[in-house]
Amino acid sequence: MKELKTDCKTCTNLGCLIKKHVDSPQIEKYLERKHSIFCRSSQQFILEGSPVYGLYFIYEGVVKVMKTSSNSKEQIIRLSSNGEIVGHRGFGTDYVYNVSAVALQDAVLCNFTSSDLKEMLHEIPELMYDFMVFYADQLQRSETNAKRFGQMTVREKVMNALLLIWTKFGNTEGYMNLQLSRKEIADFAGTTEEQVIKNISALKKENLLRAQGKKLGIIDETAFSSAISQDNRILPS
DNA sequence: GCATTAATTGGTC
DNA sequence: GACCAATTAATGC
């Protein structure tokens, strides 16, 4: 990973909480302490169990946040891209990260140390408030998603995962912009690689999904969506 | 072209 | 529905 420069003033990630307060006069000195990092595809920048170094804001690229359980199984917690925060659970009382984060494509990350951010939040109440809303929202999603997860069939889990990737990262000419391996889709959906493969081929036969090599595409979003029982739909986080 | 990795399929518990 | 083994496809060198 190497250092480079990003400028919050010209950044176009309007969803970024820092960007939102870039005109606040107190923020200036902290922007100078920001580190911008270039992270090559498949590089890991947060290691589960390592000491917390701060929070990362994605300037550009897509990142997966995951948890590795004892029996070498991985669970993808979130897929994040431009403007989103990664590593926020490490902020506060925790001294080590309890997740890992890996770039899925070349990415540029903006890092603030925990202590810098702490000062920032104390100085800028509006930023503090936005952070609080962000955390509350994350907690809300995590709770409802966990509840639904247990009630879903594997087929629904897989469909949910695909639909989420489809809607969040968009598509070009009918195929998903973000392509993950079958294993990664499984880790995200909370099932096994084989189940993902079997369900994908079933969905193809049902004309809900199209595939061209590694590329996948949802044929009719409405039809696809209604094939998942209504109250089991998962919220993107 | 060969070798390693990913995707797929079928079977067992 | 997860885990395992065998086969086939895809990809890097």
Side-chain angles (χ1 to χ4, degrees):
Chain A
M1 288 187 271
K2 67 179 182 197
E3 186 94 29
L4 81 178
K5 281 264 175 288
T6 59
D7 183 8
C8 290
K9 294 249 165 29
T10 59
C11 174
T12 55
N13 299 145
L14 301 180
C16 174
L17 290 187
I18 301 295
K19 172 70 183 180
K20 200 174 161 193
H21 296 277
V22 77
D23 293 325
S24 170
Q26 302 99 310
I27 210 169
E28 193 68 38
K29 63 171 183 255
Y30 296 107
L31 295 184
E32 286 161 19
R33 295 194 219 158
K34 178 188 72 172
H35 303 284
S36 300
I37 293 152
F38 179 74
C39 190
R40 200 161 278 294
S41 180
S42 81
Q43 252 194 317
Q44 183 163 10
F45 60 95
I46 295 179
L47 178 62
E48 196 172 350
S50 69
V52 168
Y53 186 66
L55 277 74
Y56 296 88
F57 296 82
I58 303 175
Y59 182 81
E60 193 181 359
V62 180
V63 153
K64 67 172 171 181
V65 180
M66 77 240 188
K67 228 173 154 43
T68 323
S69 51
S70 48
N71 32 339
S72 78
K73 268 190 254 299
E74 285 178 355
Q75 169 77 60
I76 296 181
I77 313 286
R78 303 190 297 138
L79 295 167
S80 302
S81 62
N82 294 23
E84 296 189 86
I85 303 177
V86 177
H88 54 277
R89 278 282 317 279
F91 184 64
T93 53
D94 287 346
Y95 290 97
V96 292
Y97 291 113
N98 51 9
V99 294
S100 294
V102 177
L104 288 174
Q105 41 186 247
D106 290 355
V108 179
L109 308 163
C110 300
N111 169 264
F112 290 90
T113 65
S114 301
S115 56
D116 277 351
L117 196 72
K118 186 177 167 186
E119 282 182 43
M120 270 166 95
L121 292 176
H122 280 118
E123 265 190 64
I124 310 168
E126 295 81 12
L127 183 62
M128 170 90 92
Y129 178 77
D130 280 346
F131 260 79
M132 197 204 69
V133 171
F134 167 75
Y135 279 100
D137 187 57
Q138 285 290 313
L139 187 59
Q140 152 80 9
R141 288 166 192 272
S142 144
E143 281 174 2
T144 48
N145 284 350
K147 206 190 309 168
R148 288 169 185 171
F149 227 66
Q151 298 171 338
M152 274 192 282
T153 64
V154 168
R155 181 187 161 92
E156 285 176 323
K157 288 184 191 178
V158 173
M159 291 183 79
N160 246 314
L162 293 173
L163 187 59
L164 203 141
I165 296 167
W166 175 262
T167 51
K168 178 160 185 172
F169 300 97
N171 64 285
T172 41
E173 289 164 20
Y175 293 98
M176 291 179 185
N177 287 337
L178 180 69
Q179 53 178 34
L180 300 175
S181 70
R182 304 291 193 249
K183 173 73 166 54
E184 284 170 325
I185 296 172
D187 291 342
F188 187 43
T191 182
T192 60
E193 186 179 5
E194 293 91 332
Q195 290 294 347
V196 168
I197 289 163
K198 283 163 188 171
N199 278 287
I200 284 177
S201 36
L203 291 167
K204 276 196 283 190
K205 286 204 187 89
E206 295 168 44
N207 282 315
L208 288 168
L209 209 63
R210 71 167 68 91
Q212 179 189 283
K214 285 196 62 148
K215 288 179 189 288
L216 292 174
I218 287 172
I219 293 171
D220 179 356
E221 191 177 321
T222 317
F224 194 92
S225 177
S226 56
I228 312 171
S229 66
Q230 202 62 41
D231 40 52
N232 272 348
R233 201 117 352 113
I234 241 158
L235 304 164
S237 53

